[in-house]
Amino acid sequence: MSLKSLLKADLVLAKQDIISKKRVLENLAEVASNRLHCDNEAVYDALLGREKLGSTGIGNGIAIPHCRLESANHTAVVVMSLQTPIDFDSIDKQAVDLIFALIVPPHECDQHLSTLAQIAELAQSPESLDKLRTAQSNEELFSIFNSLI
């Protein structure tokens, strides 16, 4: 499944005023659980569990929190930009201000890996990241992200 087909406007959040990694994960869980019609706590626990295995901060100010969730009936991608970069224990020690979260049902493992690869590829383009960082509204972030994938 392509990233473009997974992107939903109500899961794109620009310039969020969040000050910690824990709060980011909580916010992602709340937004995703509404879309997936599953328990907020289960989403949070799955994201946190994955984060405990190693930070999903991949460098260049990007984090890709992701998890498999038994109760998810389909895949959800949440795109978020932050007002102020936060510490995410990233591989390059750089603060994170762009987050691409992925929550998938266990039976969609191949799509999970493919979608992660698409996001990671996008994250390698400084020009694309700069465009995403300029978005001031949810609609603008959605439009820019949609044009890049």
Side-chain angles (χ1 to χ4, degrees):
M1 187 173 275
S2 76
L3 189 52
K4 193 176 277 266
S5 67
L6 293 172
L7 189 64
K8 306 296 179 210
D10 60 328
L11 297 180
V12 178
L13 308 164
K15 299 299 180 187
Q16 299 298 292
D17 191 18
I18 301 174
I19 58 170
S20 73
K21 182 178 184 176
K22 181 180 187 282
R23 295 282 179 248
V24 164
L25 297 177
E26 289 171 345
N27 196 278
L28 292 171
E30 183 179 325
V31 171
S33 65
N34 289 335
R35 167 60 81 162
L36 295 169
H37 307 290
C38 57
D39 182 55
N40 181 358
E41 200 73 23
V43 178
Y44 174 73
D45 288 345
L47 287 169
L48 185 62
R50 169 56 189 88
E51 213 54 45
K52 287 179 179 177
L53 296 175
S55 177
T56 57
I58 64 166
N60 297 324
I62 306 298
I64 310 177
H66 58 280
C67 63
R68 292 189 193 109
L69 186 64
E70 200 65 46
S71 58
N73 55 2
H74 62 276
T75 298
V77 174
V78 182
V79 177
M80 179 187 291
S81 68
L82 300 177
Q83 192 75 29
T84 306
I86 61 167
D87 179 27
F88 217 87
D89 302 316
S90 294
I91 194 167
D92 64 356
K93 308 288 186 228
Q94 197 176 18
V96 163
D97 63 347
L98 289 173
I99 296 139
F100 307 96
L102 182 62
I103 297 99
V104 299
H107 64 275
E108 293 186 8
C109 285
D110 291 342
Q111 293 94 324
H112 179 182
L113 296 175
S114 171
T115 305
L116 281 175
Q118 290 175 60
I119 295 169
E121 185 177 322
L122 173 69
Q124 298 303 310
S125 167
E127 298 81 22
S128 296
L129 298 178
D130 288 345
K131 287 180 186 176
L132 291 167
R133 288 183 171 113
T134 65
Q136 296 299 310
S137 69
N138 297 353
E139 295 78 16
E140 190 179 4
L141 183 57
F142 176 79
S143 177
I144 292 169
F145 189 75
N146 209 22
S147 73
L148 295 172
I149 54 175

